[in-house]
Amino acid sequence: MIALRLFITLCIGLTIWQVTVWLTGVPPFILPSPLRVAAAALDNASLIASHAGITALEVLLGLLAGTALGIATAVAMTYSKRFHELFFPLLVFTQAVPVFALAPILTLWFGYGMGSKIAMAVLIIYFPVTSAFRDGLAETDPALLDLAQTLGAKPLPTLLRLRLPAALPSLASGLRLAAVYAPIGAVIGEWVGASRGLGYLMLLANGRAKTDLMFASLIVLALGAILLRIAVNSIAVRMEAYARGIAASG
Amino acid sequence: MIALRLFITLCIGLTIWQVTVWLTGVPPFILPSPLRVAAAALDNASLIASHAGITALEVLLGLLAGTALGIATAVAMTYSKRFHELFFPLLVFTQAVPVFALAPILTLWFGYGMGSKIAMAVLIIYFPVTSAFRDGLAETDPALLDLAQTLGAKPLPTLLRLRLPAALPSLASGLRLAAVYAPIGAVIGEWVGASRGLGYLMLLANGRAKTDLMFASLIVLALGAILLRIAVNSIAVRMEAYARGIAASG
Amino acid sequence: ADEMTVLLDWFVNPDHGPIIIAQEKGYFADAGLEVEVIAPADPSDPPKLVAAGKADLAISYQPQLHLQIHEGLPLKRVGTLVATPLNCLLVLKDGPIKSPADLAGKKIGFSVAGVEEAMLTAILENHGVAFDEIELVNVNWSLSPSLMSGQVDAVIGAFRNFELNQMNIEGVDGKCFYVEEEGLPPYDELIYVAKSDEIDADKITRFLRATELATQFIVNHPEESWEIFASTSPELQDELNERAWADTIPRFALRPAAFSAGRYSAFEAFLVDAGLAPTENPVDVIAVDVTKP
Amino acid sequence: MTTPPAIHFTGKVQFGGKPLFGPVDITCPAGQWTSILGPSGVGKTTLLRLLLGLETGAQHDGKISASDGEPLAGRIAYMAQSDLLFPWLSLLENVVTGARLRSETPDLDRAHEVIAQVGLAGHEHKKPRALSGGMRQRAALARTLMENRPIVMLDEPLSALDACTRAEMQELLDHALCGKTVIMVTHDPAEACRLSNQIIVMSRGGAELWADTASSDLLMTHMRGLAA
Amino acid sequence: MTTPPAIHFTGKVQFGGKPLFGPVDITCPAGQWTSILGPSGVGKTTLLRLLLGLETGAQHDGKISASDGEPLAGRIAYMAQSDLLFPWLSLLENVVTGARLRSETPDLDRAHEVIAQVGLAGHEHKKPRALSGGMRQRAALARTLMENRPIVMLDEPLSALDACTRAEMQELLDHALCGKTVIMVTHDPAEACRLSNQIIVMSRGGAELWADTASSDLLMTHMRGLAA
Ligand SMILES: Nc1ncnc2c1ncn2[C@@H]1O[C@H](COP(=O)(O)OP(=O)(O)OP(=O)(O)O)[C@@H](O)[C@H]1O
Ligand SMILES: Nc1ncnc2c1ncn2[C@@H]1O[C@H](COP(=O)(O)OP(=O)(O)OP(=O)(O)O)[C@@H](O)[C@H]1O
Ligand SMILES: [Mg+2]
Ligand SMILES: [Mg+2]
């Protein structure tokens, strides 16, 4: 089912793309037609695949680390109002700083290996996860909190057994965003300094005016992002269903 | 109160920064010390101010347009399952495509003026707003929807009078993210082709190793983002309080 | 006056001296031109936009032009801004790299992807180092910072008129291996390109004539021209730009419209040799002398 | 308003293969008041939701029909077991929310009147959060009374009210719903006897008709017997 | 378990300047059962929440004290008017949630026993969503009974139950809470009379002590008189 729907979407997407190319007369070196891109993808299949593998690994590690860090921060902010008040503006600050400015610092600390790309993916995911989850934790039904209080609840179990499950839908929302942003994070990391990965391949293709190869890598990246989002969504749906006390159906 | 807290945070941030510079021995051409940056900011105060004004305008326009577009899309996706299934992957797709690849296309269509910067800010804000609000609309309490059904509710008023108010906390969450991302969007737009704005100033300073001026513009940008986020947050808090039926306190 | 849109390769900097001076001194106006100058952030965009008909002229790099033509972009060189390579293989002056031969097993950073690989291959070959003995790292915009901070051992794509001054100002001196001295065919670093099938020879000739006047003025009045250049924008008034200005003056093409067919075909041959181009394009596909009646 | 039909429900209801109640054969006569009694968890709410065509998760193999052959959907005013007030609307807005959701102009005069009838005059502009449990229940009742439908289903409508208020509300309902086909779930045999034309006592096995609405004590004794 | 104290509440309660009830002077004797009756919205829930030290939004000028001088907080098991079950936990997990929230090892044997006592054996693994209104109320009751505190406050604990189940639950409560200081809000005078040692009838003006728990009819008549 999902495969079929995805296929239909793909067809629609390709049609829109092709029609845009026709109607606006965008030249192929700015926006190549789907056919040209497909040809470039086939010609460079093994090249793209080897670079894609590296990016995929960076994305997954970044997603895991960023989510973990985001959850931890959101929890800390919920638990200490002072921490929230002092730390949150700093967090906004780091987000409002364009990554390119931080990139040299990151590469200085993490080197040109995978470390700096994962760091970049983490940096990008971290904020939406933290922000969404914190909003969720802050919105716990006050009646349930009153109940916990009368039951003599301690802070940690109140967090783990009440606030956290109740905020799962918000976390799910944050994760859905993170799944989409993680690939971008890794690619930006690769632009900043890399010798492998889809981002590197894109830059290379762009520099050599091979727009079709660039778009081919880009499509692979975007498809990967969609697959990742589908996978994360199925976890997110389960989390929402759990919080509502329904058996998840898909 | 807010001003005081912000001031404390600022002091903490500056301390962390200064200590980082001391401890890690980052060279000034990668991360200048706060003092150097302050000096650069003072020396270039009027320069920074004139560029900042332009960026601020782009950010505000982008925020308004992106939010409006995001709300409309989320509503459409809630109302038509088919639209959601077909359109959502496309949306993810556009998000997973790094903006630099789209930049020439955007310039081609929107020109070198403010249009392409606002378009970029919209592109960046659009997704978190859409995604968060859609999640909220999809989570409407089924018991309330049952009630609406027995009352013979029509689709449009059900949307406006039930789903929408019930999803306000999610929209608030999305807006909080958007407020932080909007400045980044405008700055990226400026990188794509501009002769004014903080993004332009930053790249210029960066390319010529005036790292202190770059960080000065960056701090101004980040402070602006924090102020924007504070403003948007006060609206978001009101929205959450409204949805819960409490008079907002702040 | 005829309107004209010119896309720079990057933000305004001393490399663009002749254009800015021509604008400021009114040479464009005298030539009946109203020139709008636009600066992008990504140097690979302007040629594309010119090829798409969004501007009359773009500033680009000769090596890139060869590749772009092979990729089907309808572009042609119509003028020259900087007639020698600016590119250099940059290392630390007091570092362990005394000759490109010492680069075996080292990391080399680059920024704008394109022909770096071919250039490096040629340079290293001259010193008996194979290309796969080094690691090429894209460092995006931080060429000299990544070198100064020791993250890479050398960078290619640095401009000799900027990065050397920049490093000197930061207190870490650099050393340039000039690519044309290391076995690369000489080429024009900065050129004007136009859409190949819509070349308005008359307008472009007038444009180039104006920049020629400006170049002469710069060469004749280096101090005064710097003052004029710096006065156009407060961002430009600093030590680095001032020093770069002085270093750039001898690099400006004194005859912007002139071109040497032999140079272009030699570089084309070099790219074919390096495997970056499939077949040699004839020179008249790559460049044109717009003043030729 | 169309003439109220009789309602007919037959068959068995199961949850994932486990029988809940039935097989039963229940008729609620047109224009009359039927009360449903039965132990907690026997399936009273489920029965009402099936009649309403709402999602229950239960499997019903049997028939639901109206005496006039028309579908039931859209002809029933329903008051659920929980109040389901919109937290962001004031009491008054909640009471007229039916009209608002149908894009009709709400009859505010009637709303004020109904609010006064359920004893909430003066609280019109309070949000649900500022109302007590019993007040919220009466708000939901007022919202139901605003709907002028031939069939009315009430799921324990007065359970949160004190005896006096409850008696007043019974009088109000008796008056307001006169002539409609009413199905009310209640746990109070006296209430059932006072208001209904017929009483259905549900139990695991099925549903029994208890026609004698004269004495609630007899009914009570009967139900004790069933439970034992 | 410490010995249950008596509870003393005096003063007036207001909402934003508007008087709600009082001034009153209420004493709930140690180890005895006090029932609170009163019209809907008079402030019964507010009174309990004030005793519990929970946020009410109301202004109370008066005193709350225990006979042993110790604070009340932490010594009260409270069953609120709505069930407040955690939707993601099964019935069994909800019943032991108090121990879990205190990081104690829950007494599962006792939990099963209490679940059986409230008549929910066999439903242990259902989520609240799959329980009927009355079942949810009994689940909340079971959760309250799991807490072994000297003081117990119940806010309409049996309002959603049918007469038979209700009678069983009354018996269970009578037994289980024997010797504790109990305050129960109820709308059923018979229930109040059956279970309590003393009855407090709240009204706008104040609170009246009704010591005669022998006849619920008399109480009923008295309350009718107040309402009129
Ligand atoms: N936040 C608030 N603002 C204003 N009034 C409030 C607020 N909260 C409660 N009230 C008022 O307090 C009164 C008492 O409420 P309470 O819940 O204590 O009543 P109760 O006696 O428990 O009634 P019931 O039997 O219906 O549960 C109500 O009239 C209600 O309108
Ligand atoms: N989703 C479900 N899965 C399994 N069982 C369910 C589900 N929903 C409801 N049930 C069961 O259906 C039974 C009937 O529920 P219903 O709400 O109809 O009872 P009721 O007669 O209204 O009880 P009450 O008087 O307590 O409100 C309950 O035993 C409940 O456990
Ligand atoms: Mg029920
Ligand atoms: Mg109450």
Side-chain angles (χ1 to χ4, degrees):
Chain A
M1 250 322 279
I2 282 190
L4 178 72
R5 263 167 32 203
L6 220 74
F7 180 75
I8 298 178
T9 307
L10 210 70
C11 292
I12 296 180
L14 290 176
T15 313
I16 295 179
W17 180 359
Q18 183 70 61
V19 169
T20 311
V21 170
W22 277 333
L23 287 189
T24 63
V26 192
F29 47 84
I30 285 189
L31 180 61
S33 74
L35 268 178
R36 279 181 76 129
V37 172
L42 284 180
D43 287 351
N44 299 282
S46 70
L47 180 70
I48 295 179
S50 75
H51 285 287
I54 298 191
T55 304
L57 187 61
E58 291 162 2
V59 167
L60 288 183
L61 291 177
L63 191 60
L64 288 180
T67 307
L69 217 61
I71 291 177
T73 311
V75 164
M77 290 201 299
T78 310
Y79 264 70
S80 163
K81 197 155 181 273
R82 178 145 308 161
F83 179 72
H84 176 214
E85 283 170 359
L86 297 181
F87 184 73
F88 200 80
L90 284 184
L91 188 59
V92 171
F93 199 95
T94 63
Q95 289 300 312
V97 170
V99 272
F100 101 98
L102 299 178
I105 307 176
L106 286 182
T107 46
L108 190 68
W109 288 338
F110 295 98
Y112 281 114
M114 243 186 209
S116 58
K117 284 97 210 171
I118 297 175
M120 200 66 87
V122 166
L123 207 70
I124 285 196
I125 294 164
Y126 180 49
F127 188 67
V129 172
T130 308
S131 184
F133 193 37
R134 192 212 71 91
D135 286 355
L137 288 174
E139 285 255 309
T140 321
D141 183 353
L144 293 185
L145 288 175
D146 282 351
L147 171 74
Q149 187 186 324
T150 65
L151 287 170
K154 295 194 177 146
L156 187 68
T158 307
L159 170 69
L160 293 178
R161 297 179 183 278
L162 168 52
R163 293 195 107 117
L164 210 138
L168 280 180
S170 299
L171 181 59
S173 207
L175 281 183
R176 287 196 181 99
L177 280 173
V180 175
Y181 287 143
I184 290 275
V187 162
I188 293 183
E190 286 167 1
W191 290 346
V192 162
S195 41
R196 293 179 306 170
L198 279 180
Y200 173 80
L201 187 61
M202 266 185 238
L203 266 200
L204 207 68
N206 188 42
R208 299 219 174 124
K210 291 190 175 178
T211 319
D212 42 7
L213 175 58
M214 186 188 89
F215 270 85
S217 337
L218 202 140
I219 298 296
V220 170
L221 177 77
L223 286 183
I226 292 178
L227 288 182
L228 182 64
R229 151 81 213 202
I230 289 175
V232 169
N233 186 48
S234 83
I235 300 174
V237 166
R238 255 162 255 263
M239 283 163 52
E240 284 167 350
Y242 176 80
R244 282 214 210 155
I246 334 174
S249 56
Chain B
M1 249 321 280
I2 283 190
L4 178 72
R5 264 165 33 201
L6 220 74
F7 179 75
I8 297 177
T9 307
L10 209 72
C11 293
I12 295 181
L14 289 176
T15 313
I16 294 179
W17 180 359
Q18 183 69 61
V19 169
T20 311
V21 170
W22 278 334
L23 286 189
T24 64
V26 195
F29 50 84
I30 287 192
L31 180 62
S33 73
L35 269 179
R36 276 180 76 131
V37 172
L42 283 181
D43 286 352
N44 299 282
S46 70
L47 179 71
I48 295 178
S50 74
H51 286 290
I54 302 209
T55 303
L57 185 61
E58 291 162 2
V59 167
L60 288 183
L61 291 177
L63 191 61
L64 287 179
T67 306
L69 216 61
I71 291 177
T73 312
V75 165
M77 291 202 298
T78 310
Y79 263 69
S80 163
K81 199 157 179 271
R82 178 144 310 162
F83 178 72
H84 176 214
E85 283 171 0
L86 298 181
F87 184 74
F88 200 78
L90 285 184
L91 189 60
V92 171
F93 199 94
T94 62
Q95 288 301 311
V97 170
V99 274
F100 103 99
L102 300 178
I105 307 177
L106 287 182
T107 336
L108 195 68
W109 288 338
F110 294 98
Y112 283 104
M114 243 186 208
S116 56
K117 283 100 207 166
I118 296 175
M120 200 67 88
V122 167
L123 207 70
I124 285 196
I125 293 164
Y126 180 47
F127 188 68
V129 172
T130 309
S131 185
F133 193 37
R134 192 211 72 91
D135 286 356
L137 288 174
E139 286 253 310
T140 323
D141 184 353
L144 292 185
L145 287 175
D146 282 350
L147 171 75
Q149 187 186 323
T150 65
L151 287 172
K154 294 191 177 151
L156 187 67
T158 307
L159 171 69
L160 293 179
R161 297 178 184 278
L162 169 51
R163 294 195 106 119
L164 211 136
L168 280 181
S170 299
L171 180 59
S173 208
L175 282 183
R176 287 198 182 97
L177 279 174
V180 175
Y181 287 144
I184 289 277
V187 162
I188 293 182
E190 286 167 1
W191 292 347
V192 164
S195 42
R196 294 180 305 170
L198 280 180
Y200 165 79
L201 190 61
M202 262 186 243
L203 260 203
L204 190 78
N206 184 48
R208 291 299 162 243
K210 288 182 175 177
T211 320
D212 42 7
L213 174 58
M214 184 190 91
F215 271 84
S217 345
L218 202 140
I219 298 296
V220 171
L221 178 76
L223 286 182
I226 292 178
L227 288 182
L228 182 64
R229 150 80 215 206
I230 289 175
V232 168
N233 186 50
S234 83
I235 300 175
V237 165
R238 256 160 253 264
M239 283 163 55
E240 285 167 349
Y242 176 80
R244 284 215 209 153
I246 335 174
S249 57
Chain C
D2 293 324
E3 284 181 11
M4 222 176 161
T5 309
V6 178
L7 300 179
L8 303 182
D9 63 317
W10 210 62
F11 298 141
V12 176
N13 62 63
D15 290 346
H16 307 128
I19 299 171
I20 305 301
I21 297 297
Q23 186 84 294
E24 295 299 312
K25 297 282 292 176
Y27 298 148
F28 286 141
D30 295 345
L33 295 173
E34 192 183 314
V35 177
E36 186 188 1
V37 176
I38 291 167
D42 181 354
S44 64
D45 286 347
K48 289 181 186 169
L49 291 167
V50 164
K54 278 278 147 182
D56 300 288
L57 287 180
I59 294 181
S60 187
Y61 313 103
Q62 187 192 331
Q64 257 69 24
L65 175 68
H66 292 268
L67 298 180
Q68 284 158 352
I69 292 173
H70 281 290
E71 292 302 329
L73 272 75
L75 290 173
K76 224 176 234 181
R77 170 268 176 213
V78 293
T80 304
L81 175 57
V82 169
T84 75
L86 291 175
N87 198 346
C88 71
L89 179 64
L90 187 65
V91 298
L92 294 177
K93 192 174 182 191
D94 305 322
I97 314 291
K98 301 298 175 203
S99 133
D102 300 330
L103 281 170
K106 303 288 190 194
K107 278 197 182 110
I108 303 182
F110 72 97
S111 175
V112 180
V115 292
E116 284 67 22
E117 217 175 298
M119 290 186 177
L120 272 176
T121 310
I123 295 172
L124 293 172
E125 229 166 45
N126 275 349
H127 293 272
V129 180
F131 181 70
D132 54 14
E133 285 178 65
I134 55 132
E135 190 188 345
L136 206 54
V137 177
N138 162 44
V139 297
N140 211 10
W141 298 109
S142 356
L143 285 171
S144 54
S146 63
L147 180 64
M148 288 189 282
S149 60
Q151 296 174 86
V152 292
D153 304 287
V155 291
I156 182 95
F159 276 11
R160 52 192 70 164
N161 49 342
F162 279 100
E163 264 78 5
L164 281 179
N165 284 318
Q166 187 177 320
M167 289 175 74
N168 181 262
I169 290 172
E170 295 294 342
V172 185
D173 278 330
K175 173 177 162 56
C176 247
F177 296 110
Y178 299 97
V179 292
E180 67 275 22
E181 292 174 7
E182 301 292 340
L184 241 63
Y187 62 90
D188 301 338
E189 191 66 62
L190 295 175
I191 54 175
Y192 300 101
V193 298
K195 192 171 183 202
S196 56
D197 48 2
E198 283 172 18
I199 294 176
D200 185 337
D202 168 54
K203 232 161 80 173
I204 294 172
T205 303
R206 282 188 279 149
F207 175 86
L208 293 175
R209 173 70 190 139
T211 62
E212 188 175 348
L213 286 173
T215 308
Q216 284 163 3
F217 178 83
I218 293 170
V219 173
N220 296 339
H221 309 279
E223 304 281 319
E224 191 186 345
S225 61
W226 160 249
E227 298 299 333
I228 296 173
F229 177 78
S231 70
T232 58
S233 172
E235 297 93 285
L236 298 170
Q237 297 157 5
D238 64 7
E239 186 190 356
L240 174 61
N241 278 314
E242 188 166 3
R243 285 167 61 171
W245 181 260
D247 286 357
T248 312
I249 293 177
R251 305 283 173 185
F252 288 133
L254 294 171
R255 299 182 301 148
F259 94 102
S260 143
R263 261 175 132 204
Y264 277 81
S265 67
F267 203 83
E268 178 81 3
F270 164 74
L271 291 175
V272 172
D273 262 2
L276 281 175
T279 53
E280 272 184 52
N281 277 329
V283 173
D284 58 5
V285 171
I286 305 170
V288 64
D289 178 351
V290 281
T291 60
K292 196 168 134 192
Chain D
M1 197 178 92
T2 51
T3 27
I7 298 170
H8 197 72
F9 179 98
T10 63
K12 227 171 51 184
V13 173
Q14 298 187 312
F15 264 109
K18 280 194 204 157
L20 183 61
F21 66 84
V24 297
D25 186 330
I26 296 173
T27 308
C28 305
Q32 300 218 345
W33 190 302
T34 304
S35 284
I36 298 181
L37 276 90
S40 171
V42 76
K44 304 178 293 298
T45 300
T46 307
L47 174 63
L48 291 196
R49 290 181 65 92
L50 285 171
L51 291 172
L52 282 155
L54 294 176
E55 174 61 35
T56 57
Q59 297 81 46
H60 170 220
D61 52 357
K63 265 195 213 157
I64 297 174
S65 59
S67 57
D68 54 10
E70 304 281 315
L72 284 171
R75 294 199 285 172
I76 312 177
Y78 173 55
M79 177 175 166
Q81 200 167 355
S82 56
D83 53 65
L84 300 178
L85 300 175
F86 295 180
W88 55 88
L89 295 184
S90 70
L91 165 56
L92 178 64
E93 291 164 332
N94 262 299
V95 168
V96 297
T97 204
R100 286 264 161 79
L101 286 174
R102 289 187 301 271
S103 297
E104 294 164 6
T105 318
D107 184 346
L108 286 178
D109 291 342
R110 224 188 120 225
H112 279 286
E113 195 182 308
V114 173
I115 288 173
Q117 284 173 343
V118 299
L120 292 177
H123 299 281
E124 286 86 352
H125 299 295
K126 284 192 180 165
K127 297 277 165 74
R129 218 161 244 275
L131 298 176
S132 77
M135 291 162 86
R136 280 202 295 274
Q137 195 170 44
R138 283 179 280 157
L141 182 64
R143 181 179 59 198
T144 313
L145 291 179
M146 283 297 288
E147 300 303 309
N148 204 10
R149 308 267 180 102
I151 311 170
V152 178
M153 295 190 184
L154 308 167
D155 200 346
E156 306 187 24
L158 311 177
S159 61
L161 302 180
D162 62 291
C164 296
T165 318
R166 190 167 188 145
E168 284 165 24
M169 291 304 113
Q170 285 170 1
E171 222 158 281
L172 170 65
L173 285 179
D174 197 13
H175 190 78
L177 304 183
C178 177
K180 305 196 180 200
T181 306
V182 179
I183 307 181
M184 174 176 79
V185 173
T186 180
H187 285 314
D188 184 348
E191 183 170 279
C193 290
R194 176 166 172 202
L195 293 171
S196 337
N197 304 98
Q198 75 167 24
I199 293 170
I200 290 169
V201 179
M202 283 178 71
S203 62
R204 284 249 116 181
E208 237 187 329
L209 199 69
W210 181 266
D212 173 14
T213 59
S215 152
S216 63
D217 288 346
L218 261 180
L219 172 58
M220 195 70 198
T221 320
H222 174 73
M223 287 179 65
R224 289 251 162 76
L226 279 179
Chain E
M1 198 177 92
T2 50
T3 26
I7 297 170
H8 196 74
F9 179 100
T10 62
K12 227 169 54 182
V13 173
Q14 298 186 312
F15 264 108
K18 282 193 202 155
L20 183 61
F21 66 82
V24 297
D25 186 331
I26 296 173
T27 307
C28 305
Q32 300 217 347
W33 190 302
T34 305
S35 286
I36 298 181
L37 277 91
S40 171
V42 77
K44 304 180 292 297
T45 301
T46 306
L47 173 63
L48 290 196
R49 289 182 65 92
L50 285 171
L51 290 173
L52 281 154
L54 295 176
E55 174 60 37
T56 58
Q59 296 81 45
H60 169 221
D61 53 358
K63 265 197 212 157
I64 297 174
S65 58
S67 57
D68 53 9
E70 305 281 315
L72 284 171
R75 293 198 286 173
I76 311 176
Y78 173 55
M79 178 175 167
Q81 200 167 356
S82 57
D83 52 64
L84 300 179
L85 300 174
F86 295 180
W88 55 88
L89 294 184
S90 70
L91 165 56
L92 177 63
E93 291 164 330
N94 263 298
V95 169
V96 299
T97 207
R100 286 265 161 79
L101 285 174
R102 290 187 301 271
S103 297
E104 295 165 5
T105 318
D107 184 345
L108 287 178
D109 291 343
R110 215 177 132 232
H112 279 286
E113 195 183 307
V114 173
I115 289 174
Q117 285 173 342
V118 299
L120 292 177
H123 299 281
E124 286 87 352
H125 299 293
K126 285 191 181 166
K127 297 277 165 73
R129 218 161 245 275
L131 299 176
S132 77
M135 292 162 84
R136 280 203 295 275
Q137 194 170 45
R138 283 178 282 156
L141 182 61
R143 182 180 57 200
T144 312
L145 291 179
M146 284 295 289
E147 300 302 311
N148 204 11
R149 307 266 181 104
I151 310 170
V152 178
M153 295 190 185
L154 307 167
D155 200 346
E156 305 186 26
L158 311 176
S159 61
L161 302 179
D162 61 291
C164 296
T165 316
R166 191 168 186 146
E168 285 166 25
M169 291 304 113
Q170 286 170 2
E171 221 157 283
L172 170 64
L173 286 179
D174 199 11
H175 190 77
L177 304 183
C178 176
K180 305 196 180 201
T181 306
V182 180
I183 306 180
M184 175 176 78
V185 173
T186 180
H187 285 315
D188 183 349
E191 183 170 280
C193 290
R194 180 169 167 199
L195 292 171
S196 336
N197 305 98
Q198 78 167 23
I199 294 169
I200 290 170
V201 179
M202 282 178 69
S203 61
R204 283 252 119 178
E208 238 187 327
L209 199 70
W210 182 264
D212 173 15
T213 60
S215 154
S216 63
D217 288 345
L218 263 181
L219 174 57
M220 194 72 197
T221 320
H222 174 73
M223 287 178 68
R224 288 248 163 77
L226 279 180

